[in-house]
Amino acid sequence: MRQIKSMIRDFQNNFSYIFGKKTFLGKGEAIIIDEPEHGNLGDQAIAFAENQFLVNYVSVQDVEHLIESKAISEIKSMKKNIRKEELVFFHGGGNFGTLYLKYERIRRVAVSKLSVNKMILFPQSISFEDSKFGQKQLKKSKKIYSQNKNFILTAREPKSYELMKKCFPDNKVILTPDIVLSLNLTEQYRGNNRNGVMTMLREDIEQKLDKTQFEKIIKELTDKYEVTISDTHIGKEKDSGITYENRQHYLEIKWDEIAQHEVVLTDRLHGMIFSYITGTPCVVLANNNHKIEETYKHWLNEVDYIRFIENPTVENILDAINDLKQIEPHYIDLSDKFQPLIEAIKGRNTNE
């Protein structure tokens, strides 16, 4: 059944590519493909940071944006109008592989149709499932991506870096932090009047805490502190309300909220990252995949106001919160860690 659904989706993508409405003009220095339209603020922060990175780190001023729902249908117009010197970027995050296969399909179409252009995948985590279906999808991606030797893959943590090198030996692979870690808002929030604890905890399949632990933690926290229960998603009722134009507004609301608190408790990757960039002490709990642990251990383990707990209990969580309430955060600049990406963007396109 899954194979049939996959075939149907490939047919739909081909149909959209041939007959979809096409408006791309190819007038920018760069284009970012598959920017998010949903209310996950982690993804929206990635898109915001990608645009900021191109302007501030590599002086690419004129950036075009292609939202995920129009990506396939616009690629034919792109093939016709894009200039060979225009840089093509793919939105970063955690959708490289079979976990969110629609984004993998977008990349395949773009890479196969726009092979003359330099293409760079913004920092990603990779996940091709260990199954017959997963191996088939990996084989498809490998065949297409290997045709463009100037399609550069960027991993955002070491495990993904090693997997990308193993799975895509014909493509250059580099390692940098998640692109949101290139932002620094600490001066903006220095001296904030902070109060209480804010939680951003998962309640889905990626959650490592069981239901009993989760409920006990919330009860203990509310007994001891003023607690704000929040999330990195704006809610389904606003899920399609974020655009390129208003994205920063929604992000600043969340960053302001975080920076009003003494400590954040989270098991979300961008809950941790938002705390880091706003200079907010944060207790981080392991979840059921490697993204948050790998990001902490490789990039943030020396940041004194971020505390990672691999095997969380009510007791060690409360102890960590009490410790961090006393700390004066010391920001560690990670901008030099993005040098491989800067060099990749500025480097010569071997496909010219």
Side-chain angles (χ1 to χ4, degrees):
M1 178 61 72
R2 189 169 185 186
Q3 296 277 9
I4 294 173
K5 288 183 178 179
S6 182
M7 291 172 63
I8 292 172
R9 177 57 62 189
D10 286 339
F11 173 79
Q12 291 172 332
N13 288 339
N14 289 334
F15 185 89
S16 296
Y17 169 72
I18 297 171
F19 297 108
K21 185 179 178 181
K22 304 158 186 73
T23 60
F24 176 79
L25 299 176
K27 294 183 177 180
E29 295 177 71
I31 182 167
I32 302 174
I33 295 177
D34 72 27
E35 286 200 337
E37 301 171 87
H38 50 77
N40 184 317
L41 292 177
D43 262 338
Q44 293 293 344
I46 288 171
F48 174 77
E50 288 165 349
N51 283 277
Q52 293 293 303
F53 187 88
L54 291 178
V55 172
N56 296 327
Y57 282 74
V58 290
S59 300
V60 175
Q61 303 293 328
D62 189 3
V63 182
E64 300 179 87
H65 312 93
L66 187 54
I67 57 176
E68 57 189 51
S69 64
K70 294 184 178 180
I72 295 292
S73 62
E74 288 284 357
I75 288 171
K76 185 175 183 180
S77 181
M78 289 175 64
K79 183 177 180 180
K80 179 180 178 181
N81 295 311
I82 196 168
R83 295 168 293 106
K84 67 178 182 180
E85 62 269 22
E86 184 163 1
L87 299 167
V88 176
F89 293 90
F90 294 101
H91 177 65
N95 62 43
F96 190 60
T98 52
L99 191 59
Y100 300 98
L101 193 54
K102 71 175 183 178
Y103 301 107
E104 192 65 24
R105 292 190 170 104
I106 290 171
R107 281 187 288 269
R108 289 171 184 163
V109 174
V111 172
S112 64
K113 302 300 180 182
L114 308 173
S115 58
V116 71
N117 293 83
K118 174 187 278 190
M119 297 182 151
I120 298 176
L121 179 73
F122 271 119
Q124 276 271 3
S125 295
I126 184 173
S127 179
F128 281 90
E129 65 181 57
D130 186 15
S131 66
K132 186 176 180 180
F133 176 80
Q135 291 304 308
K136 181 178 180 180
Q137 296 302 319
L138 174 58
K139 186 177 180 180
K140 282 185 178 181
S141 293
K142 182 177 179 179
K143 180 179 179 181
I144 292 170
Y145 298 164
S146 66
Q147 293 171 1
N148 185 347
K149 297 300 189 291
N150 222 63
F151 178 31
I152 300 170
L153 310 180
T154 310
R156 63 181 180 178
E157 22 76 16
K159 188 171 183 177
S160 289
Y161 176 68
E162 295 301 329
L163 283 171
M164 285 183 190
K165 288 200 300 180
K166 178 181 178 181
C167 295
F168 301 96
D170 295 319
N171 296 93
K172 182 176 180 179
V173 181
I174 59 178
L175 173 66
T176 76
D178 183 289
I179 200 70
V180 184
L181 289 168
S182 66
L183 302 176
N184 177 10
L185 310 177
T186 55
E187 287 301 315
Q188 177 179 331
Y189 294 112
R190 189 181 298 279
N192 253 27
N193 183 21
R194 298 172 181 265
N195 184 49
V197 175
M198 178 176 173
T199 67
M200 290 185 284
L201 295 171
R202 313 189 75 102
E203 293 188 70
D204 58 20
I205 59 173
E206 291 190 50
Q207 182 187 39
K208 190 172 184 178
L209 294 171
D210 61 38
K211 185 177 180 181
T212 300
Q213 283 180 307
F214 180 87
E215 292 175 348
K216 187 176 181 181
I217 288 167
I218 296 298
K219 182 180 184 306
E220 290 288 336
L221 286 177
T222 53
D223 285 346
K224 293 179 180 296
Y225 307 110
E226 183 177 333
V227 176
T228 301
I229 297 176
S230 187
D231 201 356
T232 55
H233 198 290
I234 62 173
K236 292 184 178 180
E237 69 279 1
K238 299 178 182 178
D239 199 37
S240 59
I242 302 183
T243 64
Y244 171 78
E245 288 75 18
N246 67 19
R247 166 185 296 144
Q248 185 173 353
H249 168 72
Y250 281 100
L251 289 169
E252 287 179 346
I253 290 174
K254 180 58 61 179
W255 294 336
D256 289 347
E257 181 187 25
I258 290 170
Q260 291 170 10
H261 292 83
E262 294 173 276
V263 181
V264 166
L265 174 65
T266 189
D267 58 359
R268 287 192 175 275
L269 175 63
H270 285 95
M272 174 177 70
I273 291 175
F274 289 176
S275 298
Y276 163 77
I277 66 174
T278 59
T280 305
C282 179
V283 177
V284 186
L285 310 182
N287 63 10
N288 277 343
N289 59 52
H290 68 271
K291 293 183 296 185
I292 196 166
E293 182 173 359
E294 287 270 300
T295 298
Y296 170 79
K297 289 184 175 179
H298 197 71
W299 306 115
L300 298 177
N301 66 320
E302 294 184 359
V303 178
D304 61 3
Y305 58 94
I306 306 293
R307 187 77 57 83
F308 177 74
I309 300 178
E310 189 167 358
N311 297 300
T313 66
V314 174
E315 291 73 22
N316 60 23
I317 289 171
L318 291 175
D319 286 345
I321 289 173
N322 287 329
D323 287 347
L324 290 180
K325 280 169 62 69
Q326 314 303 319
I327 201 167
E328 182 66 33
H330 174 66
Y331 175 78
I332 295 178
D333 186 7
L334 296 176
S335 58
D336 64 312
K337 307 301 182 184
F338 291 94
Q339 195 60 34
L341 182 56
I342 295 170
E343 292 174 0
I345 294 170
K346 291 183 174 180
R348 179 175 173 268
N349 184 356
T350 59
N351 290 331
E352 292 180 359

